[in-house]
Amino acid sequence: MVSTISLWNDGPALPQGPAPTMSGSMIDSYGRRIDYLRISLTDACNLRCVYCMPEDMRFKPRAELLQDDEILAIVRAAAELGTTKIRLTGGEPTIRPGVVELVRSIASVPGIAKVAMTTNGLLLADLAEPLAQAGLQALNVSIDTLNPAKFRRITRWGDLHRVWDGVAAAEAAGIHPLKLNAVVTRGFNEEEVVDLARLSIDRRWHIRFIELMPLGSVADFQQESVVSSAETQARIEAELGPLHPVPGHDGHDPARPYRLAGAQGQIGFISTVTEPFCAGCNRYRLTADGKLRLCLLRDREVDLLTPLRQGCTVEELKTIIRTAVWNKPWGHGLPNGDVPQLRVMSQIGG
Ligand code: SAM
Ligand code: SF4
């Protein structure tokens, strides 16, 4: 028998307790329905974005990461508990060997209605079509500037043209809506938001601007470099005209959607720091080393790797997941200076 909560890392005091037994769906102790699991397929990456990780980042050996069959066991259990949407992320998910077959397997799990991926796009030119064929339905591509030199400076060595080829391949593969994510970082790309926003005029893409979040060893840099969504919105409106709120906003989507007059696509603001969206949060996260992380900005995690390798039953695994989700925190501690220390963003997946 495996204990129901096998590992809590340090974190703030939370309401603790056993989850009520229910079939077919999970709620947390605040009544939020939790049906969206983000899975980090690897902590490694082929870039080193300045706002995400230190240049000398060390990655975990593969043996310490979840294997394909372990990920699938967790996805099956999660699906039986009412999880309907999976997003694959990283590090960089496309560098995981066998990623296309893994997408195919996840997409075929009964109950999983949507499989999405967040990627830096470097390998998409070759992978977009096979991923779409395997069942990937949605793609977010991270692209912080349209200026190749600035892109190289932000990513430390990335080639913007390869990402742009990847975006074109995703569109050719019929993935819609294509979402482009830009983290706005003072001194690196705050002026670039206008060119990125302009892409939404002639394309059906969603261009989303993300506030920089502080985590781990790069938190000091991140806190100094945050640009608020309000500042980004003002910069875009000064150049391109007013942004009009898009009606019918899905309360689970952290991006507040807007549209420029006559534009085909949308512009979104993800304002985690200045306007947290905890009330609409329906997500939980699985790190590449097999920990359930219940809130991006809280260090409290629950170990699934150890019970899996100890041979826990499906019902035991489901109990661990259900209990972890029940104890999902509300609210991050950034206003009180409570910065998560355990991991940097690449080890969680965004
Ligand atoms: N490598 C993939 C990518 O870049 O899209 C997936 C993993 S990456 C950690 C997921 C998202 O988190 C990206 O859009 C990235 O720009 C964003 N991100 C990374 N560090 C961040 C931070 N400190 N604050 C806010 N977003 C961050
Ligand atoms: Fe890699 Fe994505 Fe982090 Fe950039 S943001 S270093 S691409 S994991």
Side-chain angles (χ1 to χ4, degrees):
M1 174 66 187
V2 176
S3 67
T4 47
I5 297 183
S6 40
L7 183 147
W8 285 114
N9 286 313
D10 246 4
L14 293 170
Q16 292 279 303
T21 308
M22 296 194 313
S23 61
S25 65
M26 282 191 290
I27 58 163
D28 72 1
S29 61
Y30 299 99
R32 295 173 293 186
R33 183 169 301 280
I34 310 299
D35 57 9
Y36 172 18
L37 176 60
R38 299 171 65 101
I39 303 176
S40 169
L41 293 185
T42 172
D43 61 334
C45 189
N46 44 7
L47 295 178
R48 299 284 185 281
C49 301
V50 289
Y51 54 73
C52 179
M53 62 165 95
E55 186 166 11
D56 59 354
M57 187 77 191
R58 296 177 78 92
F59 305 117
K60 289 210 164 195
R62 282 196 70 187
E64 291 177 26
L65 304 184
L66 288 168
Q67 307 300 301
D68 287 2
D69 59 333
E70 293 166 333
I71 290 177
L72 283 169
I74 293 169
V75 170
R76 280 190 212 101
E80 286 178 25
L81 291 166
T83 300
T84 57
K85 177 175 174 184
I86 302 285
R87 177 171 296 278
L88 303 174
T89 175
E92 175 47 39
T94 58
I95 67 171
R96 183 178 174 111
V99 65
V100 173
E101 281 317 305
L102 188 56
V103 166
R104 196 184 314 283
S105 302
I106 292 173
S108 66
V109 170
I112 298 301
K114 186 166 187 179
V115 183
M117 180 180 282
T118 299
T119 170
N120 63 29
L122 271 187
L123 302 180
L124 264 191
D126 291 332
L127 280 177
E129 178 64 28
L131 285 170
Q133 293 290 336
L136 191 80
Q137 290 153 282
L139 258 177
N140 293 2
V141 182
S142 303
I143 184 165
D144 299 323
T145 168
L146 299 181
N147 176 318
K150 289 189 176 176
F151 186 80
R152 201 171 311 110
R153 183 165 171 249
I154 293 170
T155 59
R156 291 196 173 101
W157 57 67
D159 178 355
L160 179 65
H161 298 106
R162 281 179 65 192
V163 177
W164 199 247
D165 289 348
V167 169
E171 199 167 49
I175 292 178
H176 175 77
L178 198 54
K179 297 183 182 176
L180 303 193
N181 287 343
V183 175
V184 189
T185 308
R186 177 123 17 241
F188 284 84
N189 68 337
E190 74 266 43
E191 308 287 346
E192 302 300 304
V193 297
V194 175
D195 285 347
L196 286 163
R198 202 179 274 117
L199 293 174
S200 73
I201 296 175
D202 296 330
R203 299 167 176 87
R204 294 182 304 157
W205 299 348
H206 293 195
I207 314 295
R208 306 173 345 143
F209 298 101
I210 304 173
E211 281 179 352
L212 191 56
M213 290 168 246
L215 286 119
S217 58
V218 272
D220 288 348
F221 165 79
Q222 290 157 332
Q223 279 175 314
E224 285 163 14
S225 312
V226 67
V227 178
S228 70
S229 293
E231 180 180 330
T232 298
Q233 180 166 353
R235 188 167 272 122
I236 293 168
E237 291 190 315
E239 289 280 333
L240 303 178
L243 283 164
H244 306 282
V246 176
H249 174 217
D250 168 8
H252 296 312
D253 184 352
R256 290 176 287 113
Y258 293 83
R259 202 186 288 281
L260 289 163
Q264 296 190 38
Q266 294 185 13
I267 289 171
F269 296 98
I270 301 179
S271 319
T272 320
V273 176
T274 59
E275 289 182 56
F277 35 84
C278 305
C281 187
N282 64 341
R283 51 190 67 190
Y284 61 125
R285 294 171 167 82
L286 178 64
T287 64
D289 58 355
K291 309 289 188 289
L292 274 189
R293 189 162 172 118
L294 287 314
C295 170
L296 176 59
L297 292 170
R298 293 282 189 188
D299 276 339
R300 192 159 271 197
E301 298 180 347
V302 173
D303 184 16
L304 297 188
L305 184 74
T306 307
L308 271 172
R309 293 192 177 172
Q310 286 172 348
C312 71
T313 65
V314 173
E315 285 312 312
E316 286 171 338
L317 183 62
K318 284 165 66 177
T319 300
I320 297 171
I321 296 172
R322 195 193 295 112
T323 306
V325 164
W326 175 255
N327 290 296
K328 178 176 160 64
W330 180 291
H332 63 64
L334 297 183
N336 309 324
D338 190 0
V339 172
Q341 296 297 334
L342 197 62
R343 297 175 187 271
V344 293
M345 191 66 97
S346 58
Q347 296 167 314
I348 307 171

